[in-house]
Amino acid sequence: MRARPLGLLLLAASRGPTALAYETTGVSWSWQDHAFEDPIKLATGTFPSADVDAAEMEDRVAAAMDTWNALELDATLPYGGVGAFDFAVDGDWNIMWYDSSADTTWGGALAFAATWSWEDGAGNDCDIVFLSQNDYGPVQWSSRAGPAPSGRYDVQATAVHELGHCIGLDHSAITAAVMY
């Protein structure tokens, strides 16, 4: 099936007022043959085992990538499996957990996507970091399929949102949008 341009992203993915519920960040991946050539790797070993099951975490992250891949855009997100790595500008796309308990500058953030690009806006790296704590206290994650239990945050929903930032989408003002 023919790939659709990234600009049709939420038009294809949503209904009603959320169809235009995004803005772009200005990062472009067009210098590559495909928007995403490098596989996205997951560091399951960085997540605390008491909160997150590694196999379930891998399933939830792969499902988040599949959410974007199902749109049949020219923006396929390839899954690269599990590995061990650090948060760095290294050209690799990584997803990891960070013990943010000593930091107090996160506001209400649950996670963040750090995208690095050249001066011309051409992207070259994106890492996603799930936080252990923000300014409101500990962030308890759920890696199980389906809705997160009360008091926990859904790994898959958060990964879908952060992957949206990696592909160049900014926040939306529409509360029902994935990028809200």
Side-chain angles (χ1 to χ4, degrees):
M1 183 160 272
R2 199 179 112 176
R4 295 180 179 88
L6 187 58
L8 295 178
L9 179 64
L10 288 179
L11 186 58
S14 59
R15 298 176 180 88
T18 59
L20 300 176
Y22 72 94
E23 295 180 26
T24 62
T25 60
V27 173
S28 167
W29 300 95
S30 60
W31 60 273
Q32 302 179 112
D33 290 336
H34 265 306
F36 311 101
E37 293 179 336
D38 297 322
I40 302 170
K41 295 174 278 184
L42 174 64
T44 56
T46 63
F47 284 80
S49 59
D51 291 338
V52 177
D53 176 87
E56 287 179 353
M57 178 70 177
E58 189 171 10
D59 290 346
R60 298 296 68 77
V61 168
M65 290 178 193
D66 288 345
T67 298
W68 290 110
N69 293 339
L71 298 176
E72 299 177 4
L73 306 169
D74 187 21
T76 301
L77 300 174
Y79 182 59
V82 175
F85 39 78
D86 293 319
F87 179 73
V89 183
D90 54 10
D92 293 329
W93 288 43
N94 304 314
I95 299 174
M96 67 204 75
W97 179 85
Y98 172 65
D99 181 0
S100 55
S101 58
D103 301 328
T104 58
T105 59
W106 299 106
L110 301 173
F112 66 89
T115 303
W116 292 276
S117 60
W118 305 114
E119 287 182 18
D120 64 0
N124 68 339
D125 189 358
C126 186
D127 291 342
I128 296 174
V129 179
F130 286 77
L131 301 173
S132 68
Q133 184 166 320
N134 60 25
D135 290 358
Y136 300 104
V139 177
Q140 302 295 322
W141 292 103
S142 172
S143 59
R144 68 179 222 188
S150 178
R152 295 196 174 261
Y153 292 95
D154 186 348
V155 164
Q156 183 173 334
T158 303
V160 169
H161 175 91
E162 298 305 332
L163 287 165
H165 289 309
C166 287
I167 63 174
L169 300 180
D170 207 345
H171 288 128
S172 168
I174 298 173
T175 58
V178 166
M179 296 309 298
Y180 176 73

